Amino acid sequence: MGLYPYSDKGRLQTLFMIMVAFALLGPTLGIPLTPNFKLTLFRVTFFVLLALLVFQWRVYRNSLEIAHMDRIRSHLGFFGFWLVYSAFSLTWAADLGMGIRYTVFLFMMVTLCLAFPFFIRSEGAWWRTSKAVFWTFFVIVAYGVFESVTHIHLPSSRYWGQDFPSVTSFFTNQNDLATAVSLLLPYLALYLYMVRGSLWRKGWVYLTIVFALYCLLVTGSRGNTFFALPLMVIVWMITLPFTTPREELWNWRNWLKGAGVIISIALIVGCMYMFLFDGATRDKLATATGILLDIQGTTWNVDELEGELEAGAGTRGMSIVIRWYLLLYGLRFLKESHFMGVGAGNVEAHMEAYRHQLENIVNIHNWWAEILVNFGVIVFGLYVVFYGLLLWRLWKLARLKSSPRVSPLVRWGALSSMLSLIGYLFGGMVPSTAIHFTPMWIVYGIALAIVVVGERQARQKGTADGPIRSPDA
């Protein structure tokens, strides 16, 4: 017998999609219980769903239906090793409380990530989940547009209660919003030509793309705007001949339609940016070379940091300079730990000694460095290997020649996930931390789910007949 004895399967899947929506909406929907803890609806639904799964497993003595996840068993093994290493690293962590908190976050986010391949067992389940993610994302960017005009910030925002011309939507700061946009934008853009749908549905997707790009611009995130987004576009253009049927690729009407969509979106977003937003990010976005100039003006010797900060090294503010030295200090901590890592969540504990030199910033602000410094070269190396392996498996599903039997809907999910994760190579350097940054874990989980569904399709008889509208479960 499987896990679901009666009609609980549908209910648990519904609860899963509700949890995903709450995860994206973040800490806004929650009640602060202590200065350092907020009981959010995401945490409530997460533990309720987990408790129901454990309850049915123990009470009904049914085995978990995880046979379909055998295709990602190597990824499961890595996540398990990561959690064990995190717990083991507490034995040498300088701040045990920080380490325990970080390990709990890691457990929750890994579980959230693996919930996607667990619940998405078919093309229909992927379709329903994508719709839940879409409408949640629409709410996020729509409020971002509203916020840019009214300056009414949500309680989760760092600008709550202030009349400040900045946009954070449901997130704490602008960088988190920008990274969430760059993570989910590929799914929207590729949907317009890879999946057939009604004009009404594509109209909503078009509007969401406009809102999303506008929000990305007004956040002033140079890492996402000038690096992550262009990288995704370049890779997408390179993959077009391999992921698009020949008759569609060389149809000049499709190119005219695509050009019309891109130009119209650019014009609308540009007009919105000029006439709706009165913030100060225009100067910040004025040049991408400011990042390189800021780094060029720094030094590899962190002992010289204090004097340089007093001199005002940043051409566009101190953000890049501080991030650079946060990275250098992190690498110093890594070396001092004999490359085993400082322990789960303890990079901040070690950075406390230099808080006064870094404008009171102690988080390393780089997801890749966060893994490396906290957990050492072993976990980081394995993370990079499995990240690359996931990209390769997604590419094989997206490529027509290697997976001719994969349906366009799953192919859309594979290519979108691949582009999103490639963009995150730069996007991961933007948020202050990603250990509880749910959009990243959700995209990672979607990618694993697409691998599970897509590789099963690739081995089935028959071929994909073309884009589909609304698949059945």
Side-chain angles (χ1 to χ4, degrees):
M1 286 184 66
L3 175 64
Y4 312 100
Y6 304 110
S7 60
D8 293 332
K9 182 175 181 179
R11 295 175 185 174
L12 289 177
Q13 288 179 330
T14 301
L15 183 59
F16 160 70
M17 287 188 284
I18 293 174
M19 178 194 68
V20 171
F22 286 153
L24 285 172
L25 295 177
T28 295
L29 305 177
I31 302 173
L33 299 181
T34 69
N36 297 319
F37 180 78
K38 177 181 285 188
L39 184 64
T40 63
L41 290 180
F42 162 61
R43 290 172 177 172
V44 171
T45 52
F46 173 87
F47 284 108
V48 168
L49 181 59
L50 185 61
L52 287 175
L53 288 172
V54 173
F55 175 78
Q56 293 197 13
W57 173 45
R58 297 300 298 170
V59 172
Y60 294 106
R61 300 295 180 181
N62 296 313
S63 61
L64 291 171
E65 294 181 0
I66 58 174
H68 65 291
M69 296 175 66
D70 184 64
R71 300 182 187 279
I72 56 169
R73 60 183 180 276
S74 59
H75 294 271
L76 299 177
F78 164 68
F79 281 130
F81 172 77
W82 191 3
L83 284 168
V84 171
Y85 193 94
S86 180
F88 179 66
S89 72
L90 299 179
T91 59
W92 66 79
D95 190 314
L96 183 60
M98 281 186 176
I100 294 174
R101 182 174 181 270
Y102 197 95
T103 302
V104 171
F105 276 135
L106 180 62
F107 167 76
M108 290 182 62
M109 294 301 103
V110 166
T111 305
L112 171 66
C113 174
L114 296 180
F116 282 85
F118 178 79
F119 282 102
I120 299 177
R121 307 166 186 233
S122 65
E123 195 171 279
W126 158 231
W127 178 250
R128 290 190 296 272
T129 304
S130 67
K131 289 193 292 183
V133 172
F134 166 75
W135 286 113
T136 307
F137 185 58
F138 175 79
V139 171
I140 290 172
V141 294
Y143 190 85
V145 175
F146 172 79
E147 183 183 16
S148 72
V149 177
T150 64
H151 300 171
I152 299 176
H153 308 291
L154 293 172
S156 58
S157 173
R158 63 164 61 173
Y159 305 111
W160 164 248
Q162 305 177 41
D163 184 18
F164 193 80
S166 189
V167 176
T168 60
S169 189
F170 285 80
F171 298 92
T172 302
N173 55 57
Q174 306 97 310
N175 288 330
D176 289 351
L177 172 60
T179 306
V181 168
S182 67
L183 277 168
L184 297 173
L185 196 57
Y187 296 92
L188 299 175
L190 271 60
Y191 176 89
L192 290 180
Y193 79 93
M194 291 190 73
V195 182
R196 287 176 184 168
S198 65
L199 185 62
W200 174 85
R201 180 177 293 146
K202 293 206 171 185
W204 278 108
V205 173
Y206 179 92
L207 180 63
T208 307
I209 293 175
V210 169
F211 286 175
L213 287 174
Y214 172 76
C215 287
L216 181 60
L217 281 179
V218 299
T219 60
S221 173
R222 289 176 290 179
N224 284 291
T225 306
F226 291 124
F227 292 94
L229 185 59
L231 177 61
M232 290 187 292
V233 172
I234 291 172
V235 175
W236 169 59
M237 294 299 294
I238 293 174
T239 62
L240 270 177
F242 305 97
T243 59
T244 307
R246 186 182 299 271
E247 61 276 11
E248 295 182 15
L249 179 64
W250 301 114
N251 187 326
W252 64 270
R253 291 186 178 86
N254 291 339
W255 284 98
L256 285 179
K257 290 179 183 178
V261 169
I262 293 173
I263 293 172
S264 63
I265 289 176
L267 290 174
I268 295 173
V269 172
C271 290
M272 291 175 65
Y273 185 65
M274 294 301 298
F275 295 108
L276 294 183
F277 185 63
D278 60 352
T281 60
R282 292 192 181 96
D283 182 63
K284 186 178 179 182
L285 288 174
T287 176
T289 60
I291 296 178
L292 302 179
L293 291 174
D294 287 350
I295 294 177
Q296 186 178 10
T298 59
T299 174
W300 286 89
N301 186 358
V302 290
D303 294 328
E304 300 176 8
L305 169 59
E306 187 172 3
E308 187 163 355
L309 278 178
E310 291 176 355
T315 62
R316 300 287 173 180
M318 296 302 299
S319 174
I320 300 302
V321 176
I322 292 175
R323 287 171 181 268
W324 176 254
Y325 285 113
L326 285 167
L327 176 60
L328 292 184
Y329 275 125
L331 294 177
R332 172 189 281 186
F333 304 152
L334 175 67
K335 183 178 180 180
E336 292 172 350
S337 72
H338 306 288
F339 300 98
M340 293 184 63
V342 296
N346 266 246
V347 63
E348 296 181 25
H350 286 259
M351 206 75 73
E352 280 288 343
Y354 306 95
R355 175 188 285 271
H356 66 287
Q357 297 177 340
L358 300 168
E359 295 191 353
N360 293 319
I361 297 175
V362 295
N363 196 291
I364 202 166
H365 282 72
N366 185 321
W367 174 236
W368 306 99
E370 187 174 338
I371 299 174
L372 176 61
V373 179
N374 277 325
F375 301 104
V377 296
I378 297 177
V379 171
F380 178 77
L382 289 173
Y383 185 88
V384 171
V385 167
F386 283 103
Y387 200 91
L389 176 62
L390 181 58
L391 290 176
W392 173 247
R393 297 175 77 174
L394 290 169
W395 166 241
K396 288 200 300 182
L397 292 174
R399 189 165 175 254
L400 288 167
K401 186 177 181 179
S402 57
S403 301
R405 296 183 178 89
V406 174
S407 73
L409 187 69
V410 174
R411 199 182 309 281
W412 159 63
L415 185 56
S416 300
S417 299
M418 187 188 78
L419 294 178
S420 181
L421 291 174
I422 288 175
Y424 195 70
L425 295 174
F426 286 104
M429 302 177 188
V430 177
S432 58
T433 178
I435 188 58
H436 47 63
F437 185 60
T438 52
M440 183 269 289
W441 293 101
I442 286 174
V443 168
Y444 205 121
I446 288 174
L448 290 174
I450 291 297
V451 166
V452 170
V453 175
E455 290 188 355
R456 183 172 59 189
Q457 278 190 355
R459 287 166 172 76
Q460 290 176 345
K461 295 182 179 180
T463 59
D465 296 323
I468 58 178
R469 294 181 179 271
S470 53
D472 297 326

